[in-house]
Amino acid sequence: MVRLPGRSTPRPPRSSGHPRAPHNPPRPERGRGRRRPGRLRSAVSGRSVAGQVFVLQVVIVLLLVVSAVVAQVLQVRHDSDVEAANRSLAVAETFANAPGTAAALRSPDPTALLQPSAEAARKATGVDFIVVMSTDGVRYTHPQTDRIGKKFVGDIGPALAGRPVTEHITGTIGPLVQVVVPVKDRAGTVVGLVSAGITTAHVGGAADQQLPLLLAAGAVALVLATAGTALVSRRLLRQTHGLGPYEMTRMYEHHDAVLHAVREGVLIVGGDGRLLLANDEAHRLLDLPGNAERRSVLELGLDDETAGLLASGRVATDEVHLVKDRLLAINQRPTDLRGGPPGSVTTLRDSTELRALSGRAEVARERLNMLYDAGVGIGTSLDVARTAEELAGLAVPRFSDFATVDLFDAVLGGEEPRPGTALRRTAAAGIREDAPLYPVGERIRFVATSPQARALTTGQSVVVSGLREETGWRAQNRERTDRVLDYGIHSLITVPLRAGSLVLGVANFWRADKPQPFDAEEVALAEELVARAAVSIDNARRYTREHSMAVTLQRSLLPRSLPAQGALEIAYRYLPAQSGVGGDWFDVLPLSGARVALVVGDVVGHGLHAAATMGRLRTAVHNFSSLDLPPDELLGLLDELVGRIDQDETPDGDAAVVTGATCLYAIYDPVSRRCTLARAGHPPPAVVRPDGSVEFADVPAGPPLGLGGLPFETAELELAEGSRLVLYTDGLVEDRQRDIDEGLGLLRDALLRTPGTSPEDTCRTVLDRLPARPSDDVALIVARTRVLDGDRVAQWQVPSEPAAVSRVRASVTRRLAAWGLEELAFTTELILSELVTNAIRYGRGPIGVRLLRDRTLICEVSDRSTTSPHLRYAASTDEGGRGLFLVAQLAERWGTRYTPTGKVIWAEQPLP
């Protein structure tokens, strides 16, 4: 075991090598009495050596005190018994040998003679009783007269034999000692017996008075011994740091083993600069002599810098010193920081090999960091060009001085690459911006001998350590490559961007400032970076292709241009969602009678499914509108269609794909200036009056399409000429940052700031004043109303008689002449003649005729019948059935629409 010179016992280390050893045990603080109770408690704890010594000494003192008290008590009891026996014997023999005792026993009444003298003797001697009895044991005397004449309790046999007898009994007056002696006459014959006795309580009075004093003295001795023991234990506690015997044994047994087994040198230097301790590693690292202990550190043959550090005792942290051929990291701390002895403890660590390893580890750590950054920094967006820029930006300047990424044009468009075509410089990064490399955006066709072409062909990386000697690379463009070499770029790694079997392009890493070319480890790192980037670029390419397909599908399903009509002046905007495509749509549908239908709808969700569903609903609206249905009936049919779509598209799993959609359908009549609306879960339309006031139309909110089971209600508005009807989807007024009420308020404010402007200006102002485009699609239609003036409308009531047909033809001919449409008079007369004749023959009155001059000439015949005529081919033997066929040939369009009171058959002719 290593011992410190000058110490009788080794000092335990302050380490926590043993699980129960305290770490940095507290030392007593002078002037702080409040710490003493804690020390005392530690001292009396039985777990430490000091505690065990304290407990042992206290137990020994306590045993001594108890033993003394017990011995004293036993001695007192023994002395009391002896004194009682002696006193009783003396009294009994004195009374037995007294003159007259023997004679009194022979008298006729011994009691009368002996009782007074016995009581007098008892009181005079202090015994408890004197009993005179016959040889038969019958009492003649007793302190209690009722006992006289009764048998004596005790052994009288020895006394009858002439010998005194002593007994210890417990009588009626307590524990006592009694003596029986014989009474003899002159001849020596036993004529009676005398017994005297005394209780032990009446004998030991003096001894009992000494017992409290003895106990007090024992208690004082115990307290003094305990206090002394506590002081000694406290001192011992400081020396042992509260360790138990087992802990101290283990600690001291392993002290040397641990000290000499560690891979660090340990030195302890005293306050006078002498070496007190050095373990084996310290001897090896410093090449110390065998007798180094107790010598000054300046005499150990160390270099001046190291010896000065050890002698100074100053704090040092990982100071590197060259000691002979070793680089030693030295840590030094003083030992008197917490009241310890003056000096210092020093640890030495050989860092010669660690320095070399740390350099390689730092490089490896930087490469791992690059790979980690590539995992989180490349592919943050589904944009091909952006992903390529992230790859180039990550490589510069941590890996290369310049980096470029070249991709096939097809990849940028989302298509699969076509080998043999030119590449486009997609991304570039560098430590400087004036490098003479191909700029971003330029199309490049690499020659077959270039490293890039070889990488594309073989799918393997190509490393060029010296570009000046690489003739295949210089053949690409002699003038540009010379400028690249003059710029200082000297080496290159070209790595193909491979995603599965596809080669998407190449990534080029150029080195200029660092003179060393790329090594094999750097090539592996470049391949790893490019492999991760290639997966992200391919994902972005696939997304671009799918997004382009979805956008193309969506655009093909939306109206490319608005149909010609004269009832509304219309402007619209459609903004697709920021990510993916949605299911918002709108339509403008010309109807019969110069009316126009406006439709705005929104399919729940995004993607191809929503776009396809939107196309189906838009086609259905076109078909249903051709039937001239009211808005509520049309929405009812759409609701049934969406329900069937949900049923047809239920997947094999447990959950069904609920399509869901909202829709607003409005019909505007320029003749009556009335607009009929119905909505299915859609936001209400806004109406801007000609005076600039804005209100949201009170249209009953029906359930979204697809729920089924509930009818839809209509609302009718009368719009003055010049009013603007604003229809929109919820993406305009609602997003994650605001609710729909706030969005409607913003829309109202935007419309209030656009009084009297055209629909085009209104669309522009609304989109400019509202917040940035939300994540959902936005469809917006602004329609300003027009009115068909009365001079362009003519109506007649026709009686239900065939003769009225000629009068109607004449009236129509005059109105056409007034409008300057004489060219249409003949065909119009034929059309009206057939329609009015059918109404008179098959319909119910009253019959009405209306002529409208709009973009076309519209003829309408109404009646109260709900039976619609059908176009058919008449047989050769039929006398009729050719009228509608004639109407279909003469008119551009014709049809039937139903009204609450009947039907209207209409026909349109183009104006000349």
Side-chain angles (χ1 to χ4, degrees):
M1 179 177 294
V2 177
R3 298 180 182 271
L4 299 182
R7 295 183 181 268
S8 59
T9 57
R11 182 175 180 175
R14 298 183 183 178
S15 65
S16 56
H18 193 276
R20 295 177 62 181
H23 180 72
N24 292 332
R27 297 182 177 272
E29 301 182 16
R30 298 178 180 176
R32 297 188 181 181
R34 60 184 180 182
R35 297 294 299 274
R36 294 180 180 175
R39 284 290 185 183
L40 184 58
R41 286 192 297 271
S42 299
V44 301
S45 174
R47 292 180 299 175
S48 63
V49 173
Q52 293 182 7
V53 170
F54 173 80
V55 172
L56 181 60
Q57 291 186 2
V58 170
V59 169
I60 291 174
V61 173
L62 184 60
L63 289 176
L64 291 175
V65 172
V66 172
S67 299
V69 172
V70 171
Q72 180 67 23
V73 171
L74 294 177
Q75 184 64 38
V76 168
R77 288 184 178 179
H78 179 267
D79 293 345
S80 298
D81 290 344
V82 172
E83 182 182 357
N86 292 336
R87 186 186 300 181
S88 299
L89 180 60
V91 171
E93 286 181 345
T94 301
F95 192 85
N97 295 325
T101 302
L105 288 172
R106 288 190 178 97
S107 66
D109 189 5
T111 300
L113 297 175
L114 295 174
Q115 177 69 16
S117 58
E119 285 300 306
R122 181 182 67 78
K123 294 178 182 179
T125 58
V127 296
D128 289 321
F129 65 88
I130 296 176
V131 176
V132 182
M133 68 193 83
S134 66
T135 56
D136 295 330
V138 177
R139 295 188 186 100
Y140 293 137
T141 65
H142 197 278
Q144 299 177 8
T145 57
D146 58 341
R147 302 293 179 91
I148 296 174
K150 295 181 179 181
K151 292 286 286 185
F152 176 76
V153 178
D155 186 10
I156 62 176
L160 292 175
R163 300 189 306 272
V165 59
T166 303
E167 291 183 311
H168 294 78
I169 63 173
T170 301
T172 58
I173 58 175
L176 54 85
V177 178
Q178 66 180 10
V179 178
V180 180
V181 297
V183 179
K184 298 178 180 181
D185 58 7
R186 292 177 181 268
T189 302
V190 177
V191 294
L193 302 173
V194 176
S195 176
I198 186 173
T199 60
T200 56
H202 293 164
V203 178
D208 291 343
Q209 294 176 359
Q210 296 175 359
L211 186 59
L213 180 60
L214 178 62
L215 293 175
V220 171
L222 179 61
V223 171
L224 293 177
T226 303
T229 303
L231 293 177
V232 174
S233 299
R234 182 179 178 186
R235 177 70 176 178
L236 185 59
L237 178 67
R238 263 200 321 270
Q239 297 297 326
T240 62
H241 299 291
L243 299 177
Y246 176 74
E247 295 168 332
M248 292 184 63
T249 301
R250 287 198 58 187
M251 182 182 67
Y252 280 98
E253 285 177 351
H254 297 294
H255 176 269
D256 286 345
V258 173
L259 183 65
H260 295 291
V262 294
R263 293 295 304 273
E264 290 190 356
V266 179
L267 299 173
I268 298 180
V269 180
D272 57 355
R274 294 182 179 275
L275 180 64
L276 301 181
L277 182 145
N279 68 346
D280 294 344
E281 186 70 6
H283 276 272
R284 186 184 69 84
L285 294 176
L286 297 177
D287 196 15
L288 298 176
N291 60 345
E293 279 78 5
R294 300 197 62 80
R295 294 175 57 184
S296 174
V297 294
L298 300 176
E299 301 173 357
L300 300 179
L302 303 175
D303 62 277
D304 295 340
E305 185 178 0
T306 305
L309 172 62
L310 297 177
S312 66
R314 64 179 175 84
V315 176
T317 302
D318 287 337
E319 288 191 11
V320 179
H321 290 253
L322 179 62
V323 180
K324 298 182 180 180
D325 58 344
R326 295 187 178 92
L327 285 174
L328 300 182
I330 301 178
N331 290 273
Q332 184 168 275
R333 296 292 184 275
T335 58
D336 56 355
L337 292 178
R338 297 186 177 179
S344 62
V345 58
T346 306
T347 60
L348 312 172
R349 187 175 65 255
D350 190 355
S351 61
T352 306
E353 297 179 357
L354 184 61
R355 289 281 171 170
L357 291 175
S358 63
R360 293 195 294 269
E362 184 64 27
V363 174
R365 183 164 49 251
E366 174 61 24
R367 291 175 179 175
L368 288 176
N369 289 338
M370 283 190 62
L371 292 177
Y372 173 78
D373 294 341
V376 299
I378 298 179
T380 59
S381 66
L382 292 174
D383 182 82
V384 175
R386 176 59 183 165
T387 305
E389 292 171 358
E390 291 170 348
L391 171 61
L394 178 68
V396 177
R398 300 167 64 179
F399 176 69
S400 63
D401 297 325
F402 299 92
T404 57
V405 180
D406 306 322
L407 300 176
F408 289 104
D409 281 334
V411 174
L412 295 174
E415 302 297 330
E416 291 190 0
R418 294 188 291 273
T421 60
L423 286 82
R424 188 175 297 277
R425 178 64 45 91
T426 308
I431 56 176
R432 294 180 294 274
E433 297 182 356
D434 57 347
L437 299 171
Y438 286 111
V440 175
E442 184 166 342
R443 298 186 76 238
I444 308 171
R445 185 177 292 276
F446 292 104
V447 298
T449 58
S450 65
Q452 291 83 356
R454 282 183 286 161
L456 291 172
T457 302
T458 62
Q460 303 295 325
S461 302
V462 177
V463 183
V464 181
S465 301
L467 289 175
R468 191 173 296 276
E469 295 79 19
E470 178 64 29
T471 57
W473 173 73
R474 301 195 67 180
Q476 176 69 35
N477 185 325
R478 178 69 63 172
E479 180 182 357
R480 183 178 293 275
T481 55
D482 288 342
R483 285 191 285 124
V484 170
L485 294 174
D486 294 340
Y487 189 78
I489 298 176
H490 57 80
S491 58
L492 163 70
I493 299 178
T494 296
V495 184
L497 285 156
R498 298 185 58 182
S501 60
L502 299 179
V503 178
L504 309 176
V506 292
N508 308 294
F509 303 98
W510 313 80
R511 181 163 285 175
D513 288 4
K514 188 176 181 180
Q516 297 86 357
F518 294 103
D519 57 25
E521 293 183 357
E522 290 173 325
V523 174
L525 176 61
E527 292 176 344
E528 181 68 21
L529 289 176
V530 173
R532 298 190 180 199
V535 174
S536 299
I537 290 176
D538 188 55
N539 290 338
R541 176 190 68 82
R542 294 172 182 272
Y543 172 79
T544 301
R545 180 184 61 185
E546 294 176 0
H547 183 71
S548 299
M549 293 172 57
V551 170
T552 302
L553 173 62
Q554 185 188 36
R555 293 295 186 186
S556 65
L557 295 176
L558 290 174
R560 299 183 180 181
S561 61
L562 297 181
Q565 48 82 32
L568 298 170
E569 179 185 355
I570 296 177
Y572 67 92
R573 293 288 189 278
Y574 182 83
L575 301 179
Q578 293 179 349
S579 59
V581 295
D584 292 16
W585 92 92
F586 64 92
D587 247 320
V588 178
L589 306 173
L591 302 178
S592 63
R595 296 171 305 134
V596 176
L598 300 176
V599 188
V600 175
D602 183 5
V603 176
V604 175
H606 294 84
L608 290 175
H609 177 73
T613 303
M614 175 266 288
R616 297 170 71 176
L617 294 182
R618 181 169 177 257
T619 302
V621 171
H622 273 264
N623 293 333
F624 294 153
S625 66
S626 64
L627 301 177
D628 252 327
L629 297 175
D632 55 339
E633 295 184 17
L634 187 140
L635 291 182
L637 295 176
L638 280 181
D639 182 59
E640 295 179 4
L641 174 63
V642 173
R644 288 196 299 271
I645 292 176
D646 285 345
Q647 295 176 1
D648 295 341
E649 295 185 357
T650 300
D652 296 334
D654 296 334
V657 177
V658 178
T659 303
T662 64
C663 183
L664 173 65
Y665 189 80
I667 298 177
Y668 174 69
D669 187 351
V671 178
S672 63
R673 296 184 292 108
R674 292 187 176 276
C675 182
T676 306
L677 308 95
R679 63 187 178 114
H682 204 81
V687 178
V688 184
R689 302 293 181 180
D691 59 358
S693 61
V694 179
E695 64 179 4
F696 290 98
D698 186 13
V699 182
L705 299 177
L707 296 183
L710 296 175
F712 297 95
E713 300 181 65
T714 60
E716 192 171 273
L717 305 177
E718 185 172 349
L719 303 178
E721 187 175 9
S723 300
R724 281 170 289 166
L725 190 62
V726 181
L727 283 69
Y728 52 88
T729 56
D730 59 354
L732 182 69
V733 295
E734 186 179 17
D735 60 16
R736 296 176 181 176
Q737 283 73 36
R738 65 175 187 272
D739 57 19
I740 190 170
D741 292 334
E742 182 182 355
L744 292 176
L746 294 174
L747 177 60
R748 180 192 297 271
D749 294 341
L751 294 175
L752 287 174
R753 291 178 173 84
T754 59
T757 58
S758 65
E760 189 68 31
D761 294 337
T762 303
C763 288
R764 186 182 306 110
T765 302
V766 167
L767 295 181
D768 290 343
R769 291 186 178 273
L770 287 176
R773 178 163 60 99
S775 58
D776 197 4
D777 296 357
V778 173
L780 173 66
I781 297 180
V782 179
R784 184 160 62 181
T785 60
R786 297 169 177 166
V787 176
L788 200 60
D789 297 333
D791 58 352
R792 303 174 66 182
V793 179
Q795 352 184 30
W796 298 274
Q797 291 295 325
V798 180
S800 297
E801 54 185 22
V805 176
S806 60
R807 295 195 297 270
V808 171
R809 287 203 303 265
S811 300
V812 168
T813 301
R814 289 193 296 271
R815 179 52 64 112
L816 291 177
W819 287 344
L821 300 177
E822 292 87 352
E823 297 179 13
L824 300 178
F826 178 72
T827 56
T828 303
E829 288 181 4
L830 290 178
I831 292 172
L832 281 177
S833 296
E834 180 58 33
L835 295 181
V836 172
T837 301
N838 281 343
I840 293 174
R841 181 177 298 177
Y842 304 108
R844 297 198 305 266
I847 300 173
V849 174
R850 188 171 72 164
L851 204 62
L852 304 176
R853 181 180 174 231
D854 191 26
R855 299 180 64 259
T856 60
L857 181 63
I858 304 170
C859 300
E860 296 181 346
V861 176
S862 61
D863 63 75
R864 295 294 183 90
S865 172
T866 58
T867 302
S868 176
H870 297 283
L871 183 65
R872 65 182 181 86
Y873 286 100
S876 57
T877 57
D878 290 342
E879 296 182 359
R882 299 176 180 81
L884 286 181
F885 185 82
L886 180 63
V887 171
Q889 296 299 316
L890 296 177
E892 185 179 45
R893 292 195 313 155
W894 75 279
T896 302
R897 72 171 182 270
Y898 294 94
T899 65
T901 59
K903 68 176 183 295
V904 175
I905 303 177
W906 55 271
E908 293 184 3
Q909 302 175 74
L911 296 178

